[in-house]
Amino acid sequence: MNGTGTVPIELQVLGEALRSVAEEMGAVLIQSAFSANIKERRDCSTAIFDERGRMIAQAEHIPVHLGAMPDAVAAVAAHDPAPGEVWILNDPFQGGTHLPDVTMVSRTALGFAVSRAHHADVGAVEPGSMPAESRTLEEEGVVIPPTRLDDAGLESLVARMRNPEERRGDFRAQQAAHRLAEQRVDELCARRGRAVVATAMDELYAYSERVVRQAIARLPDGRYRATDVLETRDRELVIAVAVTIDGDRVVADFTGTDAQHAGNLNCPLAVTRSATYFVVRCVTDPDLPASGGAFAPVEVVAPPGCLVNARAPAAVAAGNVETSSRIVDVLFGALGQAVEVPAQGQGTVNNVTLGNDRFTYYETVGGGQGACPDADGPSGVHVAMSNTLSTPVEALELQYPLRVERYALRLGSGGRGLRAGGDGVVRELRVLEPCRLSLLTERRAKSPRGARGGAAGAVGRNLVNGTPVAAKATLDLAAGDLVTLETPGGGGFGAAE
């Protein structure tokens, strides 16, 4: 950065070139994938890392994927992968998040290319590999430690998963993205010079760190505390945080959070870090092109064995999706004492999984977001730790034995206020053959809170044939059964006039 505080043109050009590699990786993965989960919902993420394992450029994909990627790169780098090799992992306690998120890492001329994709099945006890009642990691699917991937290894993996042809196609799509990244980085080095590009990577990392540190320094110093809860059949699980702002640093201390539990809301530390990075970025400079430098001023403290720093062999299927959402809520609750933040959004991604030995369908369903001081909350969106699309009705009905009976806004579910919270959605799916249903949802008992006198959003509801179903449930369905998800609305902001 020069003396005027602007970014030199050459650095901007090289930064955009590296980001374009990450974006093109994502495009290859999405366009080559077989499953609707990746091809239509775009539940995948891609990024470029340097030789030191630092994230330099990412595509605008899934926040919970991207912030947790450095742990995966570190786990693979410890094995000193050779050029031309692709390594694979999904073990949450060795760089992964939860088992359906399968990560690939390969070397480039300047570091590493990384992709992470949510696969529609990885061989769990339930079709779709998002069981509501898992108690150990092994019940959630095939556990892959950092492993060099070759043809024999790929065939061994898909043989242990449902729909092996579709799994093989999605794995090959990830591999294609890595070949593209290696080629594009080689071309960039040939065009600009390897030393020039490597220097630009260092400066891009340092620039993001400087900008975020400057933004943190403008926040009021102090220690801000908040708590929130997750819902289980037996009791509520408490997440507690104390956020300290000290000059240009932020420390998020989760001491006081409940211990890991017997279910699957447990969260690996990498996911907790990812949620924390996301919130800090939101309250500092959300428009900054993300790199690992933005994470450098942020420290996460979490006692080993607690809900947000779980230890093996804990089940974690919902930790990556539901617990990460609540970590975001509790962090915003703490930082909202220092700066203005929106009211709470739906605080869940409403995981619904349907399948049998023939098909596996996984979906996350959008909902209402909290209102801001100057705007109503958006309705029916995937935000916070998710950033996926909805599966289009036409694609869903062509690929699966399912029919979409209704997909509409859940009008009136957003909290009232000077600014109204966004509305949730209603999504009704009729199954056309016997299958299993798994639901992993939140905010079915406690509403998303409003802010500054705004009303809370409506809680969500799950129903099968009109009968309410628990927030977390696995059950058999017969042909003709109707599954209804009514997702939560966002909280309102300010007292209504």
Side-chain angles (χ1 to χ4, degrees):
M1 192 164 67
N2 62 31
T4 65
T6 59
V7 182
I9 291 175
E10 184 177 22
L11 184 60
Q12 291 188 44
V13 170
L14 289 170
E16 289 302 320
L18 289 164
R19 281 186 285 276
S20 74
V21 176
E23 293 284 357
E24 193 175 359
M25 280 184 73
V28 167
L29 173 52
I30 290 163
Q31 293 175 16
S32 304
F34 278 43
S35 70
N37 199 51
I38 301 172
K39 178 173 57 180
E40 303 289 354
R41 288 186 57 247
R42 303 187 182 185
D43 197 343
C44 59
S45 300
T46 50
I48 297 296
F49 283 66
D50 68 6
E51 288 281 2
R52 296 164 60 182
R54 304 179 303 178
M55 181 189 287
I56 301 301
Q58 66 176 54
E60 294 299 324
H61 288 154
I62 314 297
V64 74
H65 286 177
L66 293 160
M69 276 184 178
D71 285 40
V73 174
V76 170
H79 295 271
D80 194 22
E85 295 178 350
V86 175
W87 285 62
I88 187 171
L89 65 90
N90 72 350
D91 187 340
F93 305 107
Q94 296 190 65
T97 51
H98 64 177
L99 297 185
D101 284 347
V102 180
T103 305
M104 291 188 187
V105 180
S106 65
R107 276 208 176 273
T108 70
L110 288 170
F112 303 92
V114 188
S115 68
R116 176 167 281 164
H118 185 117
H119 289 256
D121 189 89
V122 289
V125 294
E126 295 292 342
S129 300
M130 289 290 285
E133 299 173 359
S134 55
R135 300 175 73 85
T136 66
L137 189 63
E138 286 70 23
E139 293 177 306
E140 297 180 341
V142 177
V143 181
I144 311 168
T147 304
R148 186 173 67 84
L149 185 63
D150 55 22
D151 289 343
L154 177 59
E155 292 306 315
S156 175
L157 285 174
V158 301
R160 300 158 65 190
M161 301 173 181
R162 296 173 182 86
N163 306 320
E165 287 297 322
E166 185 176 270
R167 301 288 76 70
R168 184 182 296 107
D170 285 348
F171 281 131
R172 293 295 190 197
Q174 274 188 269
Q175 289 176 305
H178 284 261
R179 287 193 291 272
L180 179 281
E182 293 158 19
Q183 177 184 340
R184 291 291 185 262
V185 172
D186 285 345
E187 292 170 353
L188 183 59
C189 289
R191 190 166 64 249
R192 294 282 183 172
R194 187 184 186 284
V196 171
V197 181
T199 299
M201 294 172 90
D202 284 339
E203 178 54 25
L204 288 165
Y205 184 93
Y207 172 67
S208 291
E209 180 176 350
R210 286 196 299 271
V211 170
V212 172
R213 285 193 184 279
Q214 290 166 6
I216 292 171
R218 292 193 291 269
L219 302 177
D221 284 355
R223 188 170 176 86
Y224 308 99
R225 298 178 181 274
T227 62
D228 212 323
V229 298
L230 293 160
E231 303 163 2
T232 74
R233 290 183 180 180
D234 302 323
R235 63 189 179 95
E236 294 176 346
L237 301 174
V238 175
I239 298 177
V241 73
V243 179
T244 300
I245 301 173
D246 182 10
D248 63 358
R249 294 178 63 252
V250 170
V251 179
D253 186 347
F254 290 89
T255 300
T257 295
D258 280 353
Q260 65 188 63
H261 76 131
N264 61 20
L265 285 161
N266 305 297
C267 196
L269 185 59
V271 173
T272 302
R273 290 193 185 111
S274 184
T276 306
Y277 298 154
F278 167 80
V279 173
V280 172
R281 184 181 176 193
C282 286
V283 300
T284 54
D285 194 334
D287 296 323
L288 175 73
S291 84
F295 310 157
V298 183
E299 180 184 354
V300 175
V301 177
C306 77
L307 191 66
V308 300
N309 185 9
R311 290 292 183 256
V316 299
N320 184 60
V321 284
E322 297 303 293
T323 307
S324 68
S325 299
R326 192 63 68 254
I327 292 169
V328 168
D329 286 343
V330 75
L331 286 164
F332 273 128
L335 286 167
Q337 300 164 40
V339 295
E340 202 78 89
V341 301
Q344 285 187 340
Q346 67 165 343
T348 175
V349 299
N350 305 295
N351 304 270
V352 55
T353 310
L354 293 158
N356 51 33
D357 288 338
R358 194 182 72 80
F359 81 97
T360 53
Y361 159 82
Y362 171 68
E363 180 89 90
T364 59
V365 184
Q369 267 307 101
C372 300
D374 57 354
D376 294 341
S379 299
V381 292
H382 290 280
V383 291
M385 298 313 288
S386 176
N387 191 29
T388 63
L389 303 180
S390 298
T391 305
V393 172
E394 298 83 356
L396 187 156
E397 294 185 342
L398 280 171
Q399 187 162 346
Y400 303 107
L402 304 170
R403 187 165 66 233
V404 180
E405 296 279 332
R406 185 183 179 200
Y407 189 33
L409 289 178
R410 188 185 175 199
L411 298 176
S413 57
R416 295 177 60 83
L418 184 63
R419 299 291 184 179
D423 287 328
V425 303
V426 179
R427 192 164 175 89
E428 292 187 341
L429 301 170
R430 191 173 299 279
V431 303
L432 305 182
E433 65 183 52
C435 61
R436 294 278 281 175
L437 166 69
S438 289
L439 295 170
L440 284 169
T441 62
E442 279 284 321
R443 295 292 191 209
R444 267 48 182 178
K446 290 199 173 281
S447 299
R449 292 193 293 266
R452 303 288 192 269
V459 296
R461 292 203 309 163
N462 306 330
L463 305 101
V464 173
N465 298 326
T467 300
V469 174
K472 297 162 184 70
T474 295
L475 60 155
D476 289 309
L477 298 181
D481 283 348
L482 184 68
V483 179
T484 303
L485 267 76
E486 298 179 357
T487 68
F493 194 102
E497 293 180 345

